[in-house]
Amino acid sequence: FRTNQINGAWCGVIAKLLFGKTLVVRCGYLWADFVEKTTTSWWRRVATRMIERMVARSADRIIVAAESHASVLVSRYGVDPGCVTVIPNHVDIRRFRPVSGTVPETGQITFVGRLHPQKNLESLFVAIRGLPGVRLTVVGDGPLRASLESMARTDSLNVQFVGQLSHGELPALLNRSEVFVLPSHYEGHPKALLEAMACGVPVIGTRVPGIQEVLVHRETGFVCGTTPADIRTALLELLNDAALRARLRDGGVRYVREHCSLAIAVGRERALLASLPAA
């Protein structure tokens, strides 16, 4: 049996007990850490930590998206390091790639993700106040959309909300972008960031768990703090430095192709499954 996230993996644990099968658990992020950041309910925090511990200790193998996740599972739950395999989130590089002949539009900034407090979009909106020629396209939906639209109107910001886009539409938008920004307070292993990098867009990400494991400052992306002032400083430097943008563009594409392609992810998982006794 194989599960895809911790918060549903208890079903796999029960199935393992009932049928005596090998259990492979995958987690793109640590569920207990996300719950602690999004709720003040002590019983939800305790219950989540208990379920995560039970799943981690019951699994025969665990797939995580980042080395930091593996370290937490080993130190927090006593998981055998040999049972944990790191397979980063993958990107379809046949679809998400630089498009020859597409010229990024000057001042075009793009964000892709849920409109949720985690993503820290209010700080991004404050950061772009008064920046001449800057246009922000927000892709995605969520509980903060109405308040963010109101904020953009009140502050006279040049922001376009396009809602959710299909994977067929998103690469074209990314290729037209001069900069991609992910200003989150925390992440797991952000696929939107990887897709932007795969399209050759210079990216700005905040110095938080999940992002700082992906970006090498000034090599594969620009890393900054989470405050509006930090994000504004990063934007100004990147928008005004064509050579830096070119370096980040090349570094980002190379990183995704070498570490996060679908072929690499499939190859690693096939090798993992083939190593199991049940194989």
Side-chain angles (χ1 to χ4, degrees):
F1 294 112
R2 181 192 181 282
T3 69
N4 199 47
Q5 292 293 8
I6 291 286
N7 59 351
W10 58 270
C11 300
V13 174
I14 293 174
K16 173 185 176 177
L17 295 174
L18 288 175
F19 299 102
K21 298 292 185 178
T22 300
L23 175 63
V24 178
V25 168
R26 179 192 177 275
C27 53
Y29 59 92
L30 296 177
W31 184 34
D33 288 354
F34 270 48
V35 168
E36 288 195 9
K37 292 179 172 68
T38 56
T39 182
T40 58
S41 170
W42 67 268
W43 69 265
R44 284 193 63 196
R45 293 182 175 188
V46 171
T48 302
R49 185 69 67 94
M50 290 176 63
I51 293 171
E52 190 168 81
R53 173 187 287 273
M54 179 268 292
V55 169
R57 294 176 72 91
S58 299
D60 296 286
R61 294 290 189 275
I62 304 175
I63 300 171
V64 295
E67 291 286 352
S68 60
H69 302 166
S71 299
V72 171
L73 291 176
V74 171
S75 61
R76 180 183 295 169
Y77 301 130
V79 175
D80 180 357
C83 291
V84 185
T85 299
V86 178
I87 304 179
N89 284 331
H90 69 267
V91 174
D92 183 354
I93 59 175
R94 296 170 301 177
R95 183 186 298 274
F96 290 90
R97 59 183 176 82
V99 176
S100 178
T102 300
V103 179
E105 298 172 8
T106 302
Q108 176 61 51
I109 301 170
T110 300
F111 162 87
V112 178
R114 293 181 305 137
L115 309 190
H116 182 276
Q118 170 198 350
K119 301 299 183 177
N120 192 30
L121 280 168
E122 294 90 343
S123 291
L124 175 58
F125 280 29
V126 174
I128 65 173
R129 283 177 185 165
L131 290 183
V134 165
R135 303 179 309 283
L136 171 62
T137 298
V138 175
V139 180
D141 215 333
L144 294 185
R145 177 162 181 169
S147 63
L148 289 170
E149 289 177 332
S150 175
M151 182 178 180
R153 287 193 300 270
T154 300
D155 294 343
S156 300
L157 303 177
N158 191 350
V159 180
Q160 180 184 19
F161 294 83
V162 298
Q164 296 180 351
L165 295 182
S166 70
H167 276 182
E169 300 170 289
L170 192 52
L173 172 63
L174 291 171
N175 270 271
R176 296 195 303 272
S177 304
E178 196 166 40
V179 176
F180 177 91
V181 184
L182 188 62
S184 307
H185 288 299
Y186 58 93
E187 287 286 346
H189 191 256
K191 198 160 185 176
L193 185 71
L194 298 172
E195 290 171 346
M197 294 164 68
C199 286
V201 187
V203 301
I204 293 173
T206 41
R207 192 176 295 104
V208 299
I211 294 179
Q212 60 187 5
E213 285 88 353
V214 173
L215 298 184
V216 177
H217 187 47
R218 295 181 175 274
E219 292 184 24
T220 59
F222 197 102
V223 183
C224 67
T226 58
T227 69
D230 292 329
I231 298 169
R232 184 183 181 91
T233 298
L235 281 169
L236 284 171
E237 181 165 356
L238 200 50
L239 290 171
N240 291 308
D241 191 336
L244 178 58
R245 292 199 304 275
R247 184 162 73 247
L248 299 188
R249 180 165 52 246
D250 294 342
V253 170
R254 184 169 57 251
Y255 175 86
V256 173
R257 290 181 176 175
E258 292 177 355
H259 299 280
C260 303
S261 73
L262 176 58
I264 290 173
V266 170
R268 289 179 180 175
E269 184 153 346
R270 285 175 63 107
L272 168 64
L273 297 178
S275 72
L276 297 174

